[in-house]
Amino acid sequence: MNSRTGTYSFLIGMTLLLFTAGIVLSTSILFLLGIWVSVISFWLSAVAALSCLAGGLLFFVSSHRLKWFGLLLVGLAVIVGSSWYISANTFDLSFDGQTYHQEAIILLKEGWNPVHDSPLASRSSKPVEQMDHKEVLTAFHLWINHYAKGPWMLDAVMYKVTNQIETGKMFNSLLLAASFFLSLAAMLTAFPVKKGRACLLSFLAAFNPVVVTQATSYYIDGQLGSLILIICALGYLLFREYRGWVLLTFCASLMLLAQIKFTALVYAVLLGCGLLVLFFFYDSQRKWKSLLGWLSVSLFITVLIVGFNPYVTNTLSKGHPFYPLSGKGAVDIMTSNSPHNFKEINALQKLGTSLLSKSENIATPNDTSFKWPFTVTLDELQVFSAPDVRIAGMGPLFGGALIIGCLILLLLLASDRVKAKPFLIVSALLLLTVLINPESWWARYVPQLWLIPLLLATAGWEADKRVTRYASTAMVVILTVNMLLVGITHNAGQVSTNNYAKQQLQEIKNSNKTLIIDFHHFSAIRIRLQEAGIPYVEQKIEDKNAKGIVASRAVYLLK
């Protein structure tokens, strides 16, 4: 690394990433051996990550190593401690989080082994093939049985360690922090004398609107965004100087990415292959053969060990690794989740329409609403209190920023093509990962889209023409305002809703009455009640006077 700050940032990010990867890898091995989720995974991974930190310190730092180690431990303690505190003191009040995500975490924590144990049975008497669109969306056994389980492993292990279900959300913050520090290390390597710019761009890249709005939920797309940023940063560091610690962290990040969801495996393959192609054509040291070997081993571990369930088990039992979203008997989860006017247009048109529309969380039968770029309404901001805004989900100003980004691209191609070439190549690769997703209009499916205008701005700031530099500054200002609007609105909404949820729990507890509850698919709420010391009786409720549990479809009576 070119600076002490860059070295410190890399070692912090590497340790957080390897700790996270260690939990997923060790838990996967235990599953293959017929063992359930265990606290052993946590402690083994912590020891391994700290050992790697010591090894990296010996490699990158030549003097005052004991002082460095102490400062690194302090930094890690602050990040891990604050991540744990925030997660432990906030409820995940999202729809998906309170349904199949938390249910999967509970099952894993309580001993379900997805490799050796029987798949979960359907609660419906209907076969999946006969379910309509709405019924499919609540067929949670499908998602738990067949989806990738990387984030659930992390959350279940943390739940096992702390016996608090909400603490598993801390990995969202840990990966966000890792993405910031590794981006900062890459930026300081690229621009060693421009520390302020490096910090700003790293902050903007890490605090992606999708990452920010999902930080206190069990949604997994924020982790997707953080890991893609991490892979880009590590890929750059690896290309600048081929080092074993960087290579190890890069492969670990690819492994983690592939365990997020099905599309993430495709993203991981594309990003890994993209770096390999760059090494093949542009690396003067001809390290591409070594990189190919590392990537091959990483792919083997990713698919056949860590991803045995779902990728191997889905292929063996259902004939396709991405079942139930692909292959024979695939289910349609998008028709009822898409705006009505998306039915007759192609994927690229959907993406363009979403980017230039009013930010809304709508589905059929509603249509999107076009708006003028660079405008914001209160209605738009309010929807960002939720973790999953569908239309224009990158923020109300992002579409306008992209228009300026297109102008910057044209200016770069006209007069600074050679200087901007590295940034344009990475941007093109990221754009490819966006466009191959047929549902790229939905922001959380392609959080990497946020990085493209930032890369263009970085290249624009290095341009010879003043107009290109001014346009880049304007776009960065707009993206900063956009990120702040989304972040402030979301956090304010979450604080308010969480306070309401805590107040409701306290009122129920203080009533000294029997809680009769009908969960209506939100069965994971039972853990929240248990942790609050509230006994309950579960039964179907048809009384119109029943009250609703905050941010769910569960209803209750006090008798």
Side-chain angles (χ1 to χ4, degrees):
M1 304 299 161
N2 294 342
S3 67
R4 287 181 296 177
T5 305
T7 301
Y8 185 89
S9 297
F10 173 76
L11 291 173
I12 286 281
M14 179 194 76
T15 306
L16 293 172
L17 194 285
L18 293 180
F19 169 62
T20 306
I23 292 177
V24 173
L25 177 60
S26 58
T27 302
S28 301
I29 293 172
L30 291 178
F31 283 160
L32 290 172
L33 295 175
I35 303 171
W36 50 86
V37 165
S38 170
V39 297
I40 293 173
S41 296
F42 177 89
W43 296 113
L44 278 178
S45 300
V47 170
L50 291 175
S51 299
C52 289
L53 174 61
L57 192 62
L58 291 174
F59 183 84
F60 289 105
V61 179
S62 57
S63 61
H64 304 293
R65 286 170 175 157
L66 190 59
K67 179 181 177 182
W68 268 81
F69 193 67
L71 290 173
L72 286 163
L73 288 181
V74 170
L76 289 168
V78 170
I79 293 168
V80 174
S82 58
S83 298
W84 171 82
Y85 180 82
I86 292 170
S87 297
N89 289 281
T90 55
F91 294 130
D92 172 13
L93 300 175
S94 65
F95 182 96
D96 288 3
Q98 293 184 95
T99 52
Y100 73 91
H101 283 304
Q102 287 193 41
E103 197 61 46
I105 295 163
I106 295 165
L107 287 165
L108 291 173
K109 184 257 187 182
E110 293 181 348
W112 180 58
N113 184 323
V115 174
H116 288 281
D117 292 343
S118 300
L120 303 183
S122 173
R123 295 183 179 181
S124 172
S125 58
K126 276 188 182 180
V128 174
E129 296 79 7
Q130 296 178 13
M131 293 182 180
D132 61 28
H133 296 310
K134 290 185 179 180
E135 289 173 323
V136 163
L137 295 179
T138 56
F140 300 129
H141 71 287
L142 273 181
W143 324 135
I144 297 174
N145 286 333
H146 299 290
Y147 275 5
K149 296 176 174 60
W152 296 341
M153 294 183 203
L154 294 169
D155 306 332
V157 167
M158 203 65 211
Y159 183 17
K160 194 85 169 180
V161 170
T162 64
N163 209 33
Q164 289 180 281
I165 192 168
E166 299 291 349
T167 55
K169 305 192 303 294
M170 68 181 287
F171 289 100
N172 296 336
S173 299
L174 294 186
L175 288 174
L176 187 158
S179 72
F180 168 75
F181 283 107
L182 291 172
S183 296
L184 184 58
M187 283 290 179
L188 289 173
T189 300
F191 309 107
V193 298
K194 299 174 180 176
K195 292 185 179 180
R197 180 188 299 182
C199 288
L200 173 61
L201 289 172
S202 299
F203 183 82
L204 277 175
F207 283 80
N208 181 320
V210 174
V211 176
V212 170
T213 56
Q214 295 190 4
T216 56
S217 79
Y218 276 120
Y219 271 83
I220 57 178
D221 311 279
Q223 294 187 22
L224 178 71
S226 294
L227 285 165
I228 290 177
L229 174 56
I230 286 169
I231 289 166
C232 291
L234 290 170
Y236 174 77
L237 290 172
L238 197 60
F239 193 80
R240 281 291 299 263
E241 191 164 356
Y242 196 80
R243 289 170 164 167
W245 287 111
V246 180
L247 186 57
L248 174 64
T249 312
F250 180 79
C251 290
S253 62
L254 287 176
M255 181 202 76
L256 281 174
L257 177 61
Q259 307 313 313
I260 299 290
K261 59 198 314 181
F262 295 154
T263 51
L265 175 59
V266 180
Y267 296 160
V269 170
L270 284 175
L271 293 170
C273 290
L275 183 64
L276 184 63
V277 170
L278 289 176
F279 265 82
F280 182 82
F281 285 107
Y282 297 108
D283 179 38
S284 58
Q285 297 179 356
R286 310 301 294 169
K287 294 288 188 180
W288 70 269
K289 291 183 180 179
S290 170
L291 179 61
L292 176 61
W294 275 82
L295 291 176
S296 299
V297 173
S298 177
L299 182 63
F300 176 86
I301 294 172
T302 296
V303 175
L304 298 182
I305 296 178
V306 180
F308 188 87
N309 182 300
Y311 299 118
V312 175
T313 53
N314 282 352
T315 303
L316 294 176
S317 63
K318 299 295 182 179
H320 199 290
F322 297 160
Y323 179 86
L325 302 185
S326 299
K328 185 179 180 180
V331 298
D332 176 13
I333 63 171
M334 294 309 303
T335 298
S336 59
N337 274 314
S338 303
H340 180 263
N341 58 321
F342 279 11
K343 288 185 177 181
E344 304 299 330
I345 59 177
N346 62 41
L348 191 58
Q349 290 172 314
K350 292 177 185 178
L351 175 60
T353 301
S354 178
L355 291 172
L356 297 176
S357 293
K358 176 183 176 182
S359 296
E360 293 180 289
N361 202 359
I362 60 169
T364 192
N366 298 304
D367 291 334
T368 57
S369 303
F370 172 80
K371 74 159 194 174
W372 289 106
F374 310 110
T375 61
V376 184
T377 65
L378 183 60
D379 288 345
E380 280 189 288
L381 290 180
Q382 288 176 339
V383 300
F384 285 99
S385 61
D388 180 18
V389 179
R390 304 182 188 201
I391 305 302
M394 286 292 180
L397 297 176
F398 186 71
L402 281 184
I403 293 174
I404 299 178
C406 291
L407 172 62
I408 294 171
L409 176 61
L410 293 175
L411 291 170
L412 290 172
L413 291 174
S415 59
D416 291 277
R417 190 178 305 174
V418 175
K419 190 182 293 186
K421 187 176 180 180
F423 302 99
L424 298 180
I425 290 174
V426 178
S427 297
L429 180 59
L430 288 173
L431 183 60
L432 175 62
T433 66
V434 170
L435 296 180
I436 62 167
N437 190 324
E439 308 299 340
S440 57
W441 62 271
W442 199 329
R444 71 179 176 93
Y445 288 169
V446 287
Q448 65 270 30
L449 181 60
W450 175 255
L451 302 178
I452 295 176
L454 290 174
L455 285 167
L456 293 174
T458 306
W461 268 338
E462 297 299 305
D464 295 327
K465 284 195 171 184
R466 187 178 299 175
V467 64
T468 310
R469 298 197 298 272
Y470 284 168
S472 299
T473 299
M475 185 168 67
V476 169
V477 169
I478 290 169
L479 289 172
T480 303
V481 173
N482 180 82
M483 182 268 290
L484 291 173
L485 287 174
V486 171
I488 292 170
T489 302
H490 177 75
N491 287 323
Q494 287 298 303
V495 168
S496 175
T497 309
N498 263 269
N499 287 339
Y500 184 24
K502 291 173 183 177
Q503 179 184 345
Q504 184 181 59
L505 285 177
Q506 194 60 47
E507 289 174 354
I508 292 172
K509 190 172 184 178
N510 292 341
S511 70
N512 293 320
K513 295 181 179 179
T514 301
L515 174 65
I516 312 297
I517 188 165
D518 186 350
F519 289 114
H520 285 298
H521 304 299
F522 285 73
S523 300
I525 290 175
R526 69 187 185 276
I527 303 300
R528 191 186 308 164
L529 296 174
Q530 291 168 10
E531 291 182 4
I534 300 174
Y536 65 90
V537 175
E538 182 182 1
Q539 68 181 45
K540 188 172 181 61
I541 296 176
E542 296 181 353
D543 190 331
K544 293 182 179 179
N545 294 318
K547 297 180 180 180
I549 295 290
V550 174
S552 77
R553 295 176 183 172
V555 295
Y556 72 95
L557 295 168
L558 293 173
K559 295 184 177 180

